[in-house]
Amino acid sequence: MYRHQDPHAPLLVITFGGNVIAVERRTGKIVWQQQYHSPFPARLLFPPGRVLLGYQRELVCLAYTTGQLLWRTTVPTSTAGSIVVDGDEIFFGGGGEAACVDVNTGALLWHHPFKGMGAWAVALGVPGNVAQIDHDQ
């Protein structure tokens, strides 16, 4: 979830079967498309000016208007659980773990496996921006 949404953004982004497609909202005309060969469905978020895709243990960041790849990074825990973009940070967690990545570079800032506490689904958040548990891992 990202709390600063632009209700007049010109593009609708669609993901399925490893495809990422941006279409004009009013006409459906394809503006750009990318393909990622991932067996996992993508989590989709929109930091300002970007499209963020979470594929299990990988994050991909594209430019919103062009689809240009800005960065791609492998992460130590799943992005399939809860995920929040807040400011310059992407927080995500699942299976009793949590991590944080820099939204500008894709660099891992921290990771906590919380060893010995169990492999539970994770809810996380900061004031005004919360990701509740989506499903059990």
mmCIF file of all heavy atoms in Angstrom, residues 42-68:
data_model
loop_
_atom_site.group_PDB
_atom_site.id
_atom_site.type_symbol
_atom_site.label_atom_id
_atom_site.label_comp_id
_atom_site.label_asym_id
_atom_site.label_seq_id
_atom_site.Cartn_x
_atom_site.Cartn_y
_atom_site.Cartn_z
ATOM 1 N N ALA A 42 2.836 -11.183 -9.351
ATOM 2 C CA ALA A 42 3.499 -9.962 -8.870
ATOM 3 C C ALA A 42 2.626 -9.227 -7.874
ATOM 4 O O ALA A 42 1.414 -9.128 -8.041
ATOM 5 C CB ALA A 42 3.808 -9.046 -10.043
ATOM 6 N N ARG A 43 3.264 -8.708 -6.820
ATOM 7 C CA ARG A 43 2.647 -7.705 -5.947
ATOM 8 C C ARG A 43 2.916 -6.376 -6.613
ATOM 9 O O ARG A 43 4.012 -6.138 -7.118
ATOM 10 C CB ARG A 43 3.278 -7.739 -4.561
ATOM 11 C CG ARG A 43 3.126 -9.051 -3.821
ATOM 12 C CD ARG A 43 1.679 -9.368 -3.465
ATOM 13 N NE ARG A 43 1.017 -8.300 -2.779
ATOM 14 C CZ ARG A 43 0.936 -8.182 -1.464
ATOM 15 N NH1 ARG A 43 1.459 -9.088 -0.687
ATOM 16 N NH2 ARG A 43 0.323 -7.157 -0.921
ATOM 17 N N LEU A 44 1.976 -5.469 -6.643
ATOM 18 C CA LEU A 44 2.066 -4.230 -7.404
ATOM 19 C C LEU A 44 1.858 -3.038 -6.481
ATOM 20 O O LEU A 44 0.854 -2.962 -5.779
ATOM 21 C CB LEU A 44 0.999 -4.263 -8.497
ATOM 22 C CG LEU A 44 0.914 -3.153 -9.503
ATOM 23 C CD1 LEU A 44 2.194 -3.078 -10.328
ATOM 24 C CD2 LEU A 44 -0.277 -3.386 -10.428
ATOM 25 N N LEU A 45 2.832 -2.103 -6.482
ATOM 26 C CA LEU A 45 2.744 -0.878 -5.696
ATOM 27 C C LEU A 45 3.246 0.286 -6.545
ATOM 28 O O LEU A 45 3.952 0.076 -7.546
ATOM 29 C CB LEU A 45 3.579 -0.979 -4.421
ATOM 30 C CG LEU A 45 3.043 -1.992 -3.433
ATOM 31 C CD1 LEU A 45 4.146 -2.921 -3.007
ATOM 32 C CD2 LEU A 45 2.454 -1.295 -2.245
ATOM 33 N N PHE A 46 2.938 1.511 -6.110
ATOM 34 C CA PHE A 46 3.290 2.691 -6.893
ATOM 35 C C PHE A 46 3.956 3.782 -6.066
ATOM 36 O O PHE A 46 3.323 4.763 -5.689
ATOM 37 C CB PHE A 46 2.034 3.259 -7.570
ATOM 38 C CG PHE A 46 1.465 2.344 -8.594
ATOM 39 C CD1 PHE A 46 0.506 1.412 -8.249
ATOM 40 C CD2 PHE A 46 1.904 2.399 -9.903
ATOM 41 C CE1 PHE A 46 -0.008 0.542 -9.196
ATOM 42 C CE2 PHE A 46 1.402 1.536 -10.864
ATOM 43 C CZ PHE A 46 0.438 0.608 -10.504
ATOM 44 N N PRO A 47 5.267 3.640 -5.793
ATOM 45 C CA PRO A 47 5.979 4.790 -5.228
ATOM 46 C C PRO A 47 5.914 5.931 -6.259
ATOM 47 O O PRO A 47 5.729 5.658 -7.454
ATOM 48 C CB PRO A 47 7.414 4.287 -5.069
ATOM 49 C CG PRO A 47 7.345 2.803 -5.187
ATOM 50 C CD PRO A 47 6.143 2.495 -6.013
ATOM 51 N N PRO A 48 6.069 7.175 -5.860
ATOM 52 C CA PRO A 48 5.947 8.290 -6.815
ATOM 53 C C PRO A 48 6.809 8.091 -8.065
ATOM 54 O O PRO A 48 8.015 7.876 -7.984
ATOM 55 C CB PRO A 48 6.416 9.499 -6.002
ATOM 56 C CG PRO A 48 6.096 9.135 -4.591
ATOM 57 C CD PRO A 48 6.354 7.652 -4.503
ATOM 58 N N GLY A 49 6.149 8.111 -9.230
ATOM 59 C CA GLY A 49 6.838 8.018 -10.514
ATOM 60 C C GLY A 49 7.345 6.633 -10.871
ATOM 61 O O GLY A 49 8.078 6.470 -11.837
ATOM 62 N N ARG A 50 6.940 5.627 -10.088
ATOM 63 C CA ARG A 50 7.486 4.291 -10.294
ATOM 64 C C ARG A 50 6.401 3.221 -10.219
ATOM 65 O O ARG A 50 5.336 3.444 -9.679
ATOM 66 C CB ARG A 50 8.540 3.991 -9.230
ATOM 67 C CG ARG A 50 9.682 4.941 -9.327
ATOM 68 C CD ARG A 50 10.694 4.681 -8.283
ATOM 69 N NE ARG A 50 11.760 5.657 -8.483
ATOM 70 C CZ ARG A 50 12.478 6.137 -7.533
ATOM 71 N NH1 ARG A 50 12.298 5.754 -6.311
ATOM 72 N NH2 ARG A 50 13.421 7.011 -7.802
ATOM 73 N N VAL A 51 6.765 2.054 -10.718
ATOM 74 C CA VAL A 51 5.959 0.853 -10.560
ATOM 75 C C VAL A 51 6.849 -0.147 -9.833
ATOM 76 O O VAL A 51 7.956 -0.434 -10.287
ATOM 77 C CB VAL A 51 5.524 0.269 -11.926
ATOM 78 C CG1 VAL A 51 4.770 -1.038 -11.740
ATOM 79 C CG2 VAL A 51 4.708 1.281 -12.720
ATOM 80 N N LEU A 52 6.389 -0.650 -8.724
ATOM 81 C CA LEU A 52 7.156 -1.607 -7.941
ATOM 82 C C LEU A 52 6.463 -2.959 -8.012
ATOM 83 O O LEU A 52 5.263 -3.076 -7.744
ATOM 84 C CB LEU A 52 7.258 -1.151 -6.488
ATOM 85 C CG LEU A 52 8.047 -2.059 -5.565
ATOM 86 C CD1 LEU A 52 9.521 -2.081 -5.957
ATOM 87 C CD2 LEU A 52 7.883 -1.618 -4.128
ATOM 88 N N LEU A 53 7.226 -3.978 -8.397
ATOM 89 C CA LEU A 53 6.708 -5.330 -8.514
ATOM 90 C C LEU A 53 7.444 -6.235 -7.547
ATOM 91 O O LEU A 53 8.679 -6.237 -7.511
ATOM 92 C CB LEU A 53 6.917 -5.850 -9.945
ATOM 93 C CG LEU A 53 6.298 -4.967 -11.013
ATOM 94 C CD1 LEU A 53 7.052 -5.097 -12.311
ATOM 95 C CD2 LEU A 53 4.843 -5.308 -11.193
ATOM 96 N N GLY A 54 6.703 -6.981 -6.753
ATOM 97 C CA GLY A 54 7.292 -7.950 -5.856
ATOM 98 C C GLY A 54 7.019 -9.344 -6.373
ATOM 99 O O GLY A 54 5.869 -9.745 -6.508
ATOM 100 N N TYR A 55 8.084 -10.073 -6.705
ATOM 101 C CA TYR A 55 7.987 -11.453 -7.175
ATOM 102 C C TYR A 55 8.650 -12.366 -6.154
ATOM 103 O O TYR A 55 9.858 -12.580 -6.208
ATOM 104 C CB TYR A 55 8.709 -11.638 -8.508
ATOM 105 C CG TYR A 55 8.089 -10.944 -9.681
ATOM 106 C CD1 TYR A 55 8.632 -9.765 -10.167
ATOM 107 C CD2 TYR A 55 6.980 -11.480 -10.309
ATOM 108 C CE1 TYR A 55 8.078 -9.133 -11.263
ATOM 109 C CE2 TYR A 55 6.417 -10.860 -11.406
ATOM 110 C CZ TYR A 55 6.963 -9.681 -11.880
ATOM 111 O OH TYR A 55 6.414 -9.063 -12.957
ATOM 112 N N GLN A 56 7.902 -12.851 -5.185
ATOM 113 C CA GLN A 56 8.401 -13.766 -4.161
ATOM 114 C C GLN A 56 9.652 -13.222 -3.473
ATOM 115 O O GLN A 56 9.535 -12.474 -2.531
ATOM 116 C CB GLN A 56 8.636 -15.163 -4.744
ATOM 117 C CG GLN A 56 8.786 -16.263 -3.726
ATOM 118 C CD GLN A 56 7.554 -16.493 -2.863
ATOM 119 O OE1 GLN A 56 6.479 -15.979 -3.123
ATOM 120 N NE2 GLN A 56 7.712 -17.239 -1.804
ATOM 121 N N ARG A 57 10.849 -13.501 -3.937
ATOM 122 C CA ARG A 57 12.082 -13.004 -3.312
ATOM 123 C C ARG A 57 12.822 -12.039 -4.228
ATOM 124 O O ARG A 57 14.052 -11.958 -4.213
ATOM 125 C CB ARG A 57 12.994 -14.165 -2.916
ATOM 126 C CG ARG A 57 12.442 -14.956 -1.755
ATOM 127 C CD ARG A 57 13.415 -16.019 -1.306
ATOM 128 N NE ARG A 57 12.865 -16.758 -0.200
ATOM 129 C CZ ARG A 57 13.166 -16.540 1.074
ATOM 130 N NH1 ARG A 57 14.030 -15.611 1.391
ATOM 131 N NH2 ARG A 57 12.616 -17.264 2.019
ATOM 132 N N GLU A 58 12.079 -11.299 -5.028
ATOM 133 C CA GLU A 58 12.693 -10.326 -5.933
ATOM 134 C C GLU A 58 11.798 -9.089 -6.015
ATOM 135 O O GLU A 58 10.583 -9.193 -6.033
ATOM 136 C CB GLU A 58 12.856 -10.937 -7.321
ATOM 137 C CG GLU A 58 13.517 -10.011 -8.305
ATOM 138 C CD GLU A 58 13.760 -10.683 -9.645
ATOM 139 O OE1 GLU A 58 12.859 -11.364 -10.148
ATOM 140 O OE2 GLU A 58 14.862 -10.510 -10.164
ATOM 141 N N LEU A 59 12.449 -7.926 -6.053
ATOM 142 C CA LEU A 59 11.753 -6.665 -6.280
ATOM 143 C C LEU A 59 12.255 -6.076 -7.590
ATOM 144 O O LEU A 59 13.455 -6.091 -7.868
ATOM 145 C CB LEU A 59 12.016 -5.676 -5.142
ATOM 146 C CG LEU A 59 11.369 -6.013 -3.804
ATOM 147 C CD1 LEU A 59 11.919 -5.105 -2.715
ATOM 148 C CD2 LEU A 59 9.860 -5.877 -3.890
ATOM 149 N N VAL A 60 11.324 -5.554 -8.384
ATOM 150 C CA VAL A 60 11.642 -4.919 -9.658
ATOM 151 C C VAL A 60 11.010 -3.533 -9.634
ATOM 152 O O VAL A 60 9.838 -3.389 -9.293
ATOM 153 C CB VAL A 60 11.087 -5.734 -10.844
ATOM 154 C CG1 VAL A 60 11.340 -5.022 -12.157
ATOM 155 C CG2 VAL A 60 11.671 -7.136 -10.863
ATOM 156 N N CYS A 61 11.776 -2.515 -10.008
ATOM 157 C CA CYS A 61 11.275 -1.144 -10.028
ATOM 158 C C CYS A 61 11.375 -0.595 -11.448
ATOM 159 O O CYS A 61 12.452 -0.591 -12.058
ATOM 160 C CB CYS A 61 12.084 -0.289 -9.059
ATOM 161 S SG CYS A 61 11.402 1.380 -8.848
ATOM 162 N N LEU A 62 10.240 -0.127 -11.976
ATOM 163 C CA LEU A 62 10.166 0.422 -13.324
ATOM 164 C C LEU A 62 9.729 1.877 -13.269
ATOM 165 O O LEU A 62 9.033 2.293 -12.333
ATOM 166 C CB LEU A 62 9.132 -0.345 -14.159
ATOM 167 C CG LEU A 62 9.260 -1.860 -14.236
ATOM 168 C CD1 LEU A 62 8.064 -2.452 -14.980
ATOM 169 C CD2 LEU A 62 10.554 -2.254 -14.901
ATOM 170 N N ALA A 63 10.100 2.658 -14.287
ATOM 171 C CA ALA A 63 9.598 4.022 -14.416
ATOM 172 C C ALA A 63 8.124 3.938 -14.823
ATOM 173 O O ALA A 63 7.768 3.196 -15.743
ATOM 174 C CB ALA A 63 10.400 4.790 -15.462
ATOM 175 N N TYR A 64 7.260 4.661 -14.147
ATOM 176 C CA TYR A 64 5.820 4.609 -14.393
ATOM 177 C C TYR A 64 5.460 4.993 -15.829
ATOM 178 O O TYR A 64 4.667 4.317 -16.477
ATOM 179 C CB TYR A 64 5.094 5.519 -13.397
ATOM 180 C CG TYR A 64 3.615 5.660 -13.648
ATOM 181 C CD1 TYR A 64 2.738 4.621 -13.341
ATOM 182 C CD2 TYR A 64 3.092 6.824 -14.195
ATOM 183 C CE1 TYR A 64 1.386 4.753 -13.573
ATOM 184 C CE2 TYR A 64 1.741 6.956 -14.424
ATOM 185 C CZ TYR A 64 0.888 5.920 -14.109
ATOM 186 O OH TYR A 64 -0.458 6.050 -14.348
ATOM 187 N N THR A 65 6.034 6.054 -16.352
ATOM 188 C CA THR A 65 5.624 6.547 -17.675
ATOM 189 C C THR A 65 6.225 5.791 -18.848
ATOM 190 O O THR A 65 5.648 5.770 -19.928
ATOM 191 C CB THR A 65 5.944 8.047 -17.838
ATOM 192 O OG1 THR A 65 7.344 8.242 -17.624
ATOM 193 C CG2 THR A 65 5.147 8.888 -16.866
ATOM 194 N N THR A 66 7.393 5.129 -18.646
ATOM 195 C CA THR A 66 8.078 4.492 -19.773
ATOM 196 C C THR A 66 8.260 2.979 -19.628
ATOM 197 O O THR A 66 8.540 2.309 -20.616
ATOM 198 C CB THR A 66 9.480 5.093 -19.973
ATOM 199 O OG1 THR A 66 10.284 4.770 -18.821
ATOM 200 C CG2 THR A 66 9.427 6.594 -20.176
ATOM 201 N N GLY A 67 8.169 2.463 -18.413
ATOM 202 C CA GLY A 67 8.427 1.051 -18.172
ATOM 203 C C GLY A 67 9.903 0.717 -18.101
ATOM 204 O O GLY A 67 10.277 -0.442 -17.959
ATOM 205 N N GLN A 68 10.762 1.714 -18.188
ATOM 206 C CA GLN A 68 12.211 1.490 -18.122
ATOM 207 C C GLN A 68 12.578 0.852 -16.783
ATOM 208 O O GLN A 68 12.116 1.276 -15.726
ATOM 209 C CB GLN A 68 12.962 2.799 -18.281
ATOM 210 C CG GLN A 68 14.460 2.669 -18.099
ATOM 211 C CD GLN A 68 15.167 4.020 -18.068
ATOM 212 O OE1 GLN A 68 14.557 5.067 -18.221
ATOM 213 N NE2 GLN A 68 16.460 3.991 -17.864
#
